[in-house]
């Protein structure tokens, strides 16, 4: 057994040990073990769902526990957040959420309805999520400069499909549109899948979401990427230029990431065991290969790193939100 596999086995054994004392009370009449619920605030088939199911499969295969993924789409992920916030703090109900809920929403919503710093405890960062602007394959533009020129002549037809209201991609587009004299109307959906249906059909002129959500339609010839966020091209899309390369620096920090969170009050021992289990699962070569092939970058990090990243990114976006005067009531 290699050193990496031995470490992997050690972490999973440590995580499983936390639930061992619970076995007597956890057994139902039929002898069923406790179930670990991983709640996703978005519809099945999207990027968050793909990450959740990849981790659930790995944790379950490794003998961590019975793991189920529960989709609770709505309110840009907030319905799932609320369900986990109200769950018993026993380490058996977790939330897999995107970073805008913890970074952008506190800056943009007048009445957030939750405390991103205290209602849930970060367990781990499980995947970085490259994001991109995309259009239907039949659209006459193939990059962002061409889209901007088209939008100037579109007479109010330019719009932006979003799976999350107030995402970094939306903020970048607001800034881009302002600097180019455009009006791009946001259209928010209950997940990436329904949004992309309208992008493919041309009902929506441009979509913004995780690359992972769009890769199958891209490889199938239904979509084309107008450009990716960040300062470097992606290994899975080496021929697609960054939006920064194309002259649009507003999108340099517009990517996001997924973290796993537990209800406030979850014991430290449970948080530690969960963290180690997710970090170990995220280093499994099969999981890494599977998610990277789908458009994710997998470099799992601790709950402490998740908290620091939330604070740093919130500080970056705060002046952008203030300058743009972005406020959502609900």
């Amino acid at each position: 057994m290699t050193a990496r596999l031995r470490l992997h086995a050690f972490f999973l054994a440590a995580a499983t040990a936390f639930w061992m004392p619970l076995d007597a009370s956890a057994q139902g009449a039929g002898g069923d073990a406790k179930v670990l619920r991983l709640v996703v605030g978005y519809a099945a088939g999207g990027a968050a769902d793909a990450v959740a199911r990849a981790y659930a499969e790995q944790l379950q295969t490794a003998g961590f526990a019975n793991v189920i993924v529960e989709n609770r789409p709505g309110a840009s992920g907030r319905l799932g957040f609320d369900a986990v916030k109200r769950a018993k703090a026993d380490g058996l109900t977790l939330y897999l959420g995107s970073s805008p809920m913890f970074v952008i929403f506190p800056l943009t919503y007048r009445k957030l309805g939750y405390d991103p710093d205290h209602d849930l405890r970060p367990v781990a960062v499980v995947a970085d999520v490259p994001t991109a602007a995309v259009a239907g394959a039949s659209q006459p533009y193939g990059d962002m400069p061409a889209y901007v020129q088209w939008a100037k002549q579109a007479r109010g037809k330019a719009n932006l499909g979003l799976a999350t209201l107030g995402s970094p991609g939306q903020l970048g587009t607001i800034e881009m549109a302002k600097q180019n004299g455009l009006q791009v109307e946001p259209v928010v959906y209950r997940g990436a899948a329904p949004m992309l249906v309208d992008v493919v059909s041309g009902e929506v002129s441009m979509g913004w979401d995780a690359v992972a959500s769009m890769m199958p339609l891209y490889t199938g010839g239904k979509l084309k990427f107008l450009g990716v966020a960040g300062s470097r091209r992606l290994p899975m899309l080496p021929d697609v230029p960054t939006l920064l390369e194309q002259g649009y620096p507003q999108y340099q920090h517009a990517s996001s990431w997924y973290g796993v969170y537990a209800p406030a009050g979850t014991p430290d021992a449970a948080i530690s065991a969960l963290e180690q289990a997710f970090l170990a699962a995220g280093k499994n070569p099969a999981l890494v290969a599977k998610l990277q092939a789908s458009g994710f970058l997998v470099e799992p990090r601790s709950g402490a790193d998740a908290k620091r990243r939330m604070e740093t990114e919130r500080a970056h976006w705060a002046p952008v939100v203030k300058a743009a005067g972005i406020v959502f009531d609900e």
Side-chain angles (χ1 to χ4, degrees), residues 133-143 199 217-218 221-227:
V134 69
S138 62
Q139 297 286 20
Y141 38 84
D143 55 24
V199 173
L217 290 171
Y218 169 72
K222 302 295 185 181
L223 293 176
K224 50 188 172 184
F225 286 105
L226 305 182

Side-chain angles (χ1 to χ4, degrees), residues 223-234:
L223 293 176
K224 50 188 172 184
F225 286 105
L226 305 182
V228 299
S231 57
R232 295 180 298 174
R233 295 194 183 195
L234 300 176

